[in-house]
Amino acid sequence: MASIEVNTPRQSRGLPTVRQIVESAFPIIVIYVVMATIYSVVQPSALSLYSIESLFNNSLPLMLAAAGATFVILQGGFDLSVAGIISLANVVVAVAPVEGPLGAVANLAMVIAIGLLVGAVNGYVVAYLRIQAIAATLATMIICKGVALLILGAPGGYVSDFMAYELTASIFGAVPIAVVIAVAVMVFWSVFRTTNSGRSLLAVGQDENAAALSGIDVARTRFASFLWAGAFYGAAGYMLAAQTATGNPNGGDPFLLLTFAAVALGGTAFGGGRGGVTASLFGAATLMLMQKVLFAVGVSSFYTGVIQGAIMILAVLFSAFVQAVTSRRNSL
Amino acid sequence: MRARVLQANALSKRYGATVALSDVSLTITQGEVHAILGENGAGKSTLVKILSGVVRANSGGMSLAGEPYNPHSISKARAQGVATAFQELSLIPNLTVGENLLLPNASARTFWPESKSSILRRAAEVLREWQITDIAPDAIVEDLSLAERQRIEITRALSHASRLLILDEPTAALPDPGWLFQQIRRLTARGVAVMYISHRLGEVREICERATVLRNGKTIDTVDLSGVDDDGIFAMMVGRSPESAFAEPVVARPDADIIVDVRNLNVGKVRSLDLSLKAGEIVGLAALEGQGQQDLFRALGGAVKPSDGKIMVGGQAAALGSPRRALRAGSGIAFVPEERKTEGIFVNLTAASNIALPKIGRASHAGIVYAGLEKKVSAEAASKVALSPRYLGFNVGSLSGGNQQKVLLARALITGAKCLVLFDPARGVDVGTKQSIYAMMRDYVAGGRTILFYSSELSELVHLSSRCLVMYGGRIVADVPRAELTEERLLAAAHGHSQEMKVAV
């Protein structure tokens, strides 16, 4: 019984509790490592730098999109504009390529500005005008896709050589740049979550009412989450362009559902308040790795979707089970 | 004459058609503990929300320490020295105690977030200052008991209140107000004013000097508590002199029909329990927390399926297991659960729709439900629980707690059930609503029907029951007849002492 403890102060525990571990990115990291091990066993050539590079280059756009979506989902929201922003960013980079490293930076600035702009519209409409997030972001997704088609009517365009070759290569011939970017996002998140903005994000997702009564500006927190999301979607579209070396006005479409699948697989709750960006990055990487593993063990690609869906359900069931077990323990 | 801290003039607040507050004025002076008294729905919560910056008044003005005061957010109110401990506890469950205490700016630094240990150190400082020694700053809030959470909520408000502290039902979950009163006295010694809202008159008299009474959103009077007795206060709260809260108890005729007969029931914590309810009696049930009373009530109401045993209603075996079946079984059992917000009510429907729900067939032509008919169907039931007809058109979510409870009871009545099963029907409602509920219960059994009710207030059981059952460890351990009903007797039995044992102890 918990009431026995009433008079003894709980001591600082140096080690994380089981619940803290299970709610962190730890389970999905374990799944990822297990799957990577399986992959390297059934497909020894997977360990060559070339295939590691291509695996991460393939995964990075989805990882960035999932990272962005996590900001919105953590505060209890929903954002469909991901597909639109990725398409738009991809097309813009392909029709206005700027050569050289500084050119790549200029292109990145463009797509992030686009992401922030669309995110600001989403955030304003959802947080301040209080329009339902699904309706509002569905509208911005359709608008972005429309604009992408206006800019580039059919797949084509050119991506600058620096983006297409250098950004998809490796540093010192050993570490893929995609990995560096992913690690940078993880470091960013681990700092961000301890800022006041990070705490506010989780608090609003946990209990909007309590957050407001605690003095947190709920509308501003929501607004900011859409800005972060937009910026990450823009970056995802940018890396998609780098990886495909071309522009595709429908390039963002496959990302719509996979992004949510990756976030769910990472263990972030769709109700908000629990989860994190690191978990979503691994969720996305796991989804992409799974396709490779299934292909390597000879499963027909027709089954890929079925198996991905089944694994997602298992992941969601697992986190629901953990929730139920830990909350039951608390109520006793 | 002490300096004025807060002066409110003619505050008014409307929510759509509902007038929550009209023309409320009050003055709170330095170092004073000022009580706000009133029934549920009198406007206390609205007043708290306006003062703490959650909502803004439609008209009227406030001044704080001589300066105009018109906060439009919690943080603005805090910046001016007004902090509130909310009744509905505003802590974030999966953050630590320390982070919660320091929200919204847990990290005090701008460019790089403050380390967790440094945050916890500052939080430990706050806990120490307000004499909380048994809660660690790094404990996760969702692991704390309700009483511990309430103390953290209060501590956070204490640490921000440099001019005015607002406490909204601060002792609702505190077993012992000693700690709180000590902190209040330390705070008032520094000249901070305290606004204290509570239903518990005893506490109010202990800690407060003056009280402002609200009724129907208006200020009735501000009185010196030493100069007025409880009856006088009740009279101001309800607007009439209180008839004795409990009228003559009802007792069933010995030859009355048995309406509900329970044999060998096993469900949840309930162990082979027998029970019979006769026409014309109000049967009370006393028990400590968690003795199986929830399971028993939910089984009778059909919310859970018993694992074993028989429930006969009006002479037929009832195959319960869903509330719909419970209502259909013979003459029917209607159940009013304890958690009205989560189990009972549709907050986005009108009061009339909520009441008429079980009888949707009667309020419809050709399958279409008409609002007008709904009102007509629900009006009769509403009058039985003294729910003012003007509330029928409002969304239930906008009604006060007491009126929500009346809506639930009216809905139970409209089913035409022969037996009502009420779980703590008068918990957390005000004096006036309690009286209406008691009157409705008596009226109901007078028509040859029966009631089983659980209450956490012993005095309610003693005064209202025709006889009172006591549950302990999943069994009924005593059936106390009217003549022997005393609070001591119930308390002893509820602790598992039989009468013989009680003598020994």
Side-chain angles (χ1 to χ4, degrees):
Chain A
M1 292 271 260
S3 59
I4 296 169
E5 292 180 76
V6 161
N7 286 318
T8 50
R10 289 173 186 78
Q11 286 307 312
S12 309
R13 19 174 146 74
L15 294 171
T17 62
V18 173
R19 186 180 49 190
Q20 277 166 339
I21 293 172
V22 171
E23 281 181 4
S24 69
F26 187 70
I28 186 68
I29 293 177
V30 171
I31 293 174
Y32 183 77
V33 170
V34 168
M35 209 166 277
T37 314
I38 295 173
Y39 184 46
S40 61
V41 170
V42 295
Q43 188 93 345
S45 68
L47 291 175
S48 74
L49 179 63
Y50 172 76
S51 36
I52 292 179
E53 242 175 38
S54 87
L55 172 63
F56 283 109
N57 284 334
N58 267 325
S59 309
L60 190 61
L62 182 62
M63 290 167 78
L64 291 173
T70 308
F71 283 86
V72 174
I73 290 169
L74 277 181
Q75 53 89 349
F78 214 74
D79 188 358
L80 299 175
S81 68
V82 52
I85 296 180
I86 290 180
S87 298
L88 186 54
N90 183 333
V91 167
V92 165
V93 170
V95 298
V98 190
E99 288 298 335
L102 283 179
V105 173
N107 276 146
L108 182 63
M110 281 185 213
V111 296
I112 291 203
I114 290 169
L116 287 175
L117 178 71
V118 180
V121 173
N122 286 335
Y124 181 74
V125 173
V126 173
Y128 292 101
L129 302 184
R130 293 169 180 266
I131 306 296
Q132 285 181 359
I134 291 191
T137 58
L138 180 63
T140 47
M141 174 185 88
I142 293 171
I143 292 169
C144 288
K145 286 174 58 149
V147 175
L149 277 168
L150 286 177
I151 294 175
L152 191 66
Y158 301 96
V159 170
S160 78
D161 285 348
F162 182 85
M163 272 180 70
Y165 296 110
E166 302 298 325
L167 282 183
T168 53
S170 294
I171 295 181
F172 311 127
V175 186
I177 293 195
V179 172
V180 175
I181 295 174
V183 170
V185 174
M186 283 175 213
V187 171
F188 163 76
W189 170 250
S190 70
V191 174
F192 179 82
R193 61 175 300 174
T194 64
T195 63
N196 290 328
S197 312
R199 280 202 184 81
S200 300
L201 193 66
L202 287 158
V204 168
Q206 270 275 304
D207 187 337
E208 182 190 345
N209 218 357
L213 295 181
S214 299
I216 291 169
D217 189 333
V218 173
R220 201 177 64 187
T221 304
R222 291 232 151 100
F223 180 78
S225 78
F226 281 100
L227 287 186
W228 285 117
F232 273 98
Y233 301 156
Y238 179 84
M239 291 314 297
L240 181 64
Q243 180 218 333
T244 57
T246 178
N248 179 356
N250 295 316
D253 288 1
F255 285 82
L256 181 58
L257 296 177
L258 283 178
T259 300
F260 289 104
V263 173
L265 190 60
T268 295
F270 278 131
R274 288 180 201 273
V277 165
T278 304
S280 299
L281 289 171
F282 275 97
T286 306
L287 269 185
M288 301 302 286
L289 180 59
M290 209 187 302
Q291 292 179 351
K292 298 258 184 194
V293 173
L294 293 176
F295 182 76
V297 298
V299 176
S300 154
S301 62
F302 293 113
Y303 291 101
T304 313
V306 177
I307 294 172
Q308 278 180 337
I311 289 185
M312 208 182 116
I313 289 179
L314 287 178
V316 173
L317 277 179
F318 173 72
S319 71
F321 171 74
V322 170
Q323 278 295 316
V325 169
T326 52
S327 66
R328 182 171 309 154
R329 197 196 60 203
N330 287 332
S331 67
L332 279 176
Chain B
M1 181 76 197
R2 290 182 292 191
R4 285 173 181 175
V5 170
L6 178 85
Q7 170 97 45
N9 287 319
L11 292 176
S12 296
K13 177 71 190 173
R14 289 180 307 277
Y15 293 104
T18 323
V19 177
L21 219 55
S22 70
D23 215 15
V24 165
S25 302
L26 76 144
T27 305
I28 303 182
T29 62
Q30 234 178 16
E32 175 190 26
V33 186
H34 193 108
I36 303 291
L37 299 171
E39 297 185 322
N40 289 337
K44 292 172 301 189
S45 307
T46 308
L47 181 62
V48 169
K49 283 184 187 160
I50 291 174
L51 289 177
S52 42
V54 178
V55 299
R56 302 179 74 177
N58 296 116
S59 64
M62 295 180 283
S63 66
L64 187 76
E67 314 237 314
Y69 175 65
N70 191 13
H72 33 257
S73 72
I74 300 252
S75 351
K76 294 262 162 44
R78 264 192 205 164
Q80 297 198 57
V82 178
T84 309
F86 291 95
Q87 186 182 2
E88 63 264 39
L89 303 194
S90 60
L91 305 174
I92 309 296
N94 64 354
L95 294 185
T96 61
V97 167
E99 287 168 313
N100 266 290
L101 282 175
L102 301 172
L103 277 181
N105 295 314
S107 159
R109 270 183 270 154
T110 324
F111 293 108
W112 190 254
E114 192 179 351
S115 75
K116 197 155 188 170
S117 57
S118 156
I119 290 175
L120 292 179
R121 250 197 315 280
R122 287 193 296 127
E125 201 66 40
V126 175
L127 289 175
R128 206 169 20 251
E129 184 185 355
W130 300 105
Q131 301 178 338
I132 291 195
T133 52
D134 57 338
I135 303 173
D138 66 344
I140 306 287
V141 162
E142 63 190 339
D143 294 336
L144 300 183
S145 71
L146 196 55
E148 289 170 321
R149 280 184 230 186
Q150 181 135 38
R151 278 193 294 153
I152 297 302
E153 173 89 18
I154 293 170
T155 304
R156 180 163 74 187
L158 284 166
S159 70
H160 286 109
S162 58
R163 287 201 176 115
L164 175 66
L165 171 69
I166 301 170
L167 299 170
D168 192 359
E169 297 284 354
T171 52
L174 283 189
D176 170 24
W179 167 81
L180 173 64
F181 287 178
Q182 205 180 338
Q183 306 316 315
I184 290 179
R185 292 197 180 100
R186 289 177 58 208
L187 200 65
T188 51
R190 301 180 193 170
V192 176
V194 177
M195 189 167 138
Y196 193 94
I197 293 142
S198 177
H199 273 123
R200 304 181 181 178
L201 261 185
E203 273 172 20
V204 167
R205 284 189 177 281
E206 190 179 338
I207 193 79
C208 303
E209 297 148 51
R210 295 191 304 154
T212 295
V213 180
L214 299 182
R215 184 170 78 226
N216 295 332
K218 296 190 176 67
T219 337
I220 299 306
D221 201 1
T222 295
V223 293
D224 234 317
L225 279 166
S226 53
V228 52
D229 63 2
D230 286 3
D231 279 350
I233 290 174
F234 286 138
M236 282 193 279
M237 282 165 63
V238 298
R240 54 192 143 85
S241 68
E243 333 136 23
S244 152
F246 304 99
E248 264 315 276
V250 284
V251 180
R253 296 194 323 272
D255 61 337
D257 294 339
I258 290 177
I259 293 186
V260 175
D261 199 23
V262 177
R263 289 290 152 237
N264 192 33
L265 182 73
N266 283 292
V267 56
K269 289 183 183 160
V270 174
R271 295 279 160 268
S272 45
L273 178 141
D274 295 337
L275 168 76
S276 59
L277 305 173
K278 289 183 191 163
E281 67 176 353
I282 298 177
V283 179
L285 181 79
L288 303 175
E289 283 290 306
Q291 300 302 318
Q293 62 268 46
Q294 277 95 345
D295 297 323
L296 170 64
F297 275 63
R298 292 170 66 84
L300 286 173
V304 293
K305 212 180 161 98
S307 48
D308 190 18
K310 234 201 271 180
I311 299 176
M312 310 271 287
V313 182
Q316 342 177 344
L320 302 181
S322 86
R324 193 183 167 89
R325 286 205 202 136
L327 277 172
R328 277 199 182 157
S331 39
I333 298 177
F335 171 46
V336 178
E338 69 224 275
E339 298 278 350
R340 58 175 173 254
K341 284 235 170 73
T342 53
E343 288 189 24
I345 224 154
F346 297 90
V347 289
N348 291 324
L349 293 181
T350 62
S353 308
N354 264 286
I355 295 172
L357 212 52
K359 286 287 168 200
I360 257 174
R362 271 199 217 158
S364 62
H365 289 312
I368 296 166
V369 183
Y370 292 98
L373 265 169
E374 237 175 29
K375 266 197 181 176
K376 219 193 291 175
V377 170
S378 55
E380 191 194 330
S383 76
K384 283 186 189 153
V385 294
L387 177 70
S388 161
R390 75 191 177 96
Y391 290 132
L392 285 176
F394 292 162
N395 277 358
V396 165
S398 64
L399 299 182
S400 71
N403 282 327
Q404 291 186 358
Q405 186 70 347
K406 285 182 179 176
V407 167
L408 263 185
L409 289 168
R411 186 168 79 192
L413 290 180
I414 211 172
T415 60
K418 279 272 156 61
C419 173
L420 282 189
V421 180
L422 310 175
F423 198 94
D424 229 348
R427 180 181 212 165
V429 303
D430 56 81
V431 192
T433 304
K434 273 188 183 162
Q435 301 225 9
S436 322
I437 292 175
Y438 300 155
M440 178 282 284
M441 287 167 70
R442 273 188 220 100
D443 197 47
Y444 180 82
V445 295
R449 291 166 288 195
T450 185
I451 289 179
L452 175 69
F453 81 107
Y454 166 79
S455 171
S456 50
E457 274 181 52
L458 288 176
S459 63
E460 200 169 273
L461 289 166
V462 168
H463 288 100
L464 206 57
S465 313
S466 319
R467 61 193 170 94
C468 189
L469 307 173
V470 182
M471 250 182 120
Y472 180 76
R475 297 166 194 275
I476 288 181
V477 293
D479 181 351
V480 187
R482 174 78 237 156
E484 293 171 29
L485 265 181
T486 61
E487 292 187 26
E488 293 75 26
R489 172 92 167 79
L490 292 181
L491 204 58
H495 280 87
H497 298 287
S498 69
Q499 206 156 25
E500 296 75 25
M501 282 167 71
K502 192 185 154 206
V503 178
V505 176

